[in-house]
Amino acid sequence: MKREKKLIFEISKPGRKSYSLPKLDWIQKDVSDLIPEKLLREKPPELPEVCEIDLVRHYTELSKRNHGVDSGFYPLGSCTMKYNPKVNENISRFKGFTKIHPYQWEETVQGALQLMYEMNDYLCEISGMDYITLQPAAGSHGELTGLMVIKAYLNHIGEGHRYKVLVPDSAHGTNPASAAMCGFEVKEIKSNARGCVDIDELKAQADENTAALMLTNPNTLGLFEEDILEISEIVHQAGGLLYYDGANANAIMGITRPGDMGFDVVHFNLHKTFSTPHGGGGPGAGPVGVKEKLEPFLPVPRIEKHSEKDFYYLDYNKPLSIGRVRVFYGNFGVITKAYAYIRAVGPEGLKKVSEYAVLNANYLMSQLKKYYFLPYDRCCKHEFVVSGKKQAKHGVRALDIAKRLIDYGYHPPTIYFPLIVQEALMIEPTETESLETLDEFINAMKQIAEEAEKTPEKVKNAPYTTVVGRLDEVTVARKPKTRWTRV
Amino acid sequence: MDFTPHTEEDLRKMKMAIGIEKIDELFSDIPEEVKFKGKLNLPEGVSEQELVNLLKQLSQKNTTTEDYINFLGAGAYEHFIPSVIDHVISRSEFYTSYTPYQPEISQGMLQAIFEYQTMICELTGMEVSNASLYDGASALAEAVEMACNFIGNKKILVSRTIHPEYLQVVKTYTQFRDIEIIEVPWVKGNTDLEALIKNLDDKTAAYVIQYPNFFGIVEDLDTLQTRVEKNNALFIVVADPISLALLKPPGDFGADIVVGEGQSLGNPLQFGGPYLGFMAAKKKLIRKMPGRIVGETKDVNNVRGYVLTLQTREQHIRRERATSNICSNEALCALAAAVYLTYMGKKGLRAVAEQCLLKANYLYENICKLEHYHKVFDGPFFKEFVVKTDHDVEYLNKELQKHRIFGGLNLERFYPELKNHLLVCVTETKTKQELDYFLARLEGIV
């Protein structure tokens, strides 16, 4: 099984080609007539030269060396690796969605604008917010956008001195990174023994310099912040705003809404909650929702509807807006898939999604805690975190458990996150997995726990079934080789 | 539609194992006051058949670039997309995977990105590339922040010939960071070199030029390189990747960071997204770069393999001290770009670039022969050009629309001083008949 795969450059042979282009015999001019020589390239770029079948086999072979949701169970915590419906792929490829230029006149893109306008409405309803922007391209881009909106609002009301953003120690790394990118200082809030925000610590930290608290609810331990109303009151009393990281929104649709919990700003990850594929690391989409008072600060353009004329248009006239966070209007192709998903499952379907996501997580947790240490033994939401602490006594680390799971045919859970759990394994099954799949996974985890005790070396040297074994990540980071060069 | 699998029997077993009677009990930790009562006010769910019809109808409300002849460009380009691309990116092992955190089962995506990075380095003439960013504009904003971090200064010179929306994004990103953005004016469609040199001092972190610029003009980086004296500021170039098959790469002119929009490499117009921003740089900047970077390494058996490397730059390790907050990038769009570059290859990409150049020039020469259309700018251009017309541009475009043509971009939208100026884009997709038809329709406007 183990074998090196040639790079496309190593398959290349001068003279081979895939491309074909129409003849250009009706133009007599030459490149050198039009561009001065000093601006012309002397040596062509080293691009591969292959015929089409070589290309197709190369990438097909590469795809076989990759694991996706379609290959098998993918319980990667905080990433919501649910099934990506095929119909959405077809829909997003309708030529009426792909072959439209962003600068076409509004009357020629009414379908696209209507879709985005309605998507805004749907996301408002699901989140309990008043206004949405679809512009951000990913969750962390949404965070940055949301925080800039907060900053602009605070400046506008004369509270621009507020420099602190509070972030729980269980938060995603993007939260503090986004806050820093927006010029805020990050203050970490410790979690309490129940895995939630420590109220006393929050009270001590929230003051006249607090701009916002960023909170994921349910949090990254998969636990619902039960004190959310008190948290909201403390932050608002101090004059700060409440930011909702929607990475875990798959747990709450139709059950509770960030807007009703007191959040002022929300971002969604359409590639998590709304079933759009993760694409090997994007494209995603990170729409941001806000309460009314923050609306003037959202990015431009906004999508509006002229009700009488039944006409959709782009509104750039928002003088207090933070500006644009990208070109054009958002990851439209991703938004199309998420829109189709919402229309397909409807309001009852969305609630069922969250119910089953939570049911699946609680079922898995109830079985896995027999073999793994469960640091927070209480009802979870859509995900939970176990610790490899027991296995660590035999020298088997969370990383080893993850690698051994690969041999059983699974993508491993998120490991070593959240940082507050030792040897963390963060597991999110999602609602689309069947009881049989969950049981098989439980069985694999049970066997690995046994192996860790009886034959720890077997786990520590895993994986055995993959195209490569464990890779040396240290040497490459010291002396990175990030591109191919001809030898 | 319903994508959940549980039968009544499954539900019963699972609830029993957990020790609950009703699923509701799993939500008892949510305070009653914030529980959502009733049903979300959304359209009822539908079958697949209904869904397809519904979305088909919505999509048909749009007029496509197949229905009309399109001359709009300005940062989103209609290039031919070979069939193989969609077949490759539709391999679900690629598109249903996520960020390759577990390299042993992600070698496919990792190797594809490693190859993509190589191609981007080759095109730009740079030493290192990352695995992609959101789009060209946010890539530029990241490059600006990277330059400020690296140099330790907070003054940036940006030519007004870069895409105006890119400039807007840079301003948005930097507005709360005390970064000073100085706009450098243009003369005859080219960056005013004198103004650039005048503003460039030892407080400058970087200067930004687009190549070819927003007006389509190939800025004279050769003269710029000789005129700009040695200084610490980084030279950032925003480039069109297809043009780089023909033009001397920015690396040859001493660029430190090259960013740009990769959409034109095999990604559809799609109303503006998803696209991909590329970023390449000199090696000395690699530890300040944002986003994922793939590196080559060996496994325990000395077999070659690929991993995400230099992760200590990134948010999931470094948190508030990370080089950027970016997590998800645009991997699948980068894969499409790599497949496109593989398909076109060394010779094909150059042939595409030549067709763009020659066809655009054919149209330009002939438009300028018409009575009401005038040359205004100097300098060679690639696939876009500016003409001034005696007509009102809005009126002109309305007239063209009657003849199933998306005319040019009204430049007044971004440059108030360019009233009656039109930005026209011609790619290899245009035929002689289409160009002649466009010319005839332009001539016919009164």
Side-chain angles (χ1 to χ4, degrees), chain B residues 260-316:
Chain B
E261 178 53 66
Q263 172 268 331
S264 55
L265 307 172
N267 286 274
L269 287 169
Q270 221 158 176
F271 204 45
Y275 291 177
L276 70 144
F278 65 84
M279 177 185 274
K282 283 189 177 157
K283 210 174 199 166
K284 64 177 182 190
L285 295 167
I286 195 168
R287 284 169 205 275
K288 295 283 178 200
M289 266 186 138
R292 314 289 185 195
I293 299 174
V294 175
E296 183 188 302
T297 187
K298 299 273 187 194
D299 79 350
V300 285
N301 302 311
N302 216 29
V303 173
R304 182 173 69 178
Y306 305 89
V307 292
L308 292 177
T309 194
L310 300 172
Q311 293 192 62
T312 52
R313 297 167 299 116
E314 293 191 63
Q315 45 77 27
H316 61 285

Side-chain angles (χ1 to χ4, degrees), chain A residues 143 147 165-168 171 174-176 178-179 212-216 243-244:
Chain A
E143 290 177 22
L147 289 168
V165 166
L166 312 179
V167 174
T174 50
N175 291 182
S178 300
L213 168 70
M214 298 182 83
L215 197 63
T216 312
Y243 183 98
Y244 184 87

Side-chain angles (χ1 to χ4, degrees), chain B residues 2-13:
Chain B
D2 183 356
F3 305 101
T4 60
H6 297 325
T7 64
E8 285 305 318
E9 176 66 9
D10 296 338
L11 292 171
R12 198 187 54 76
K13 276 190 195 163

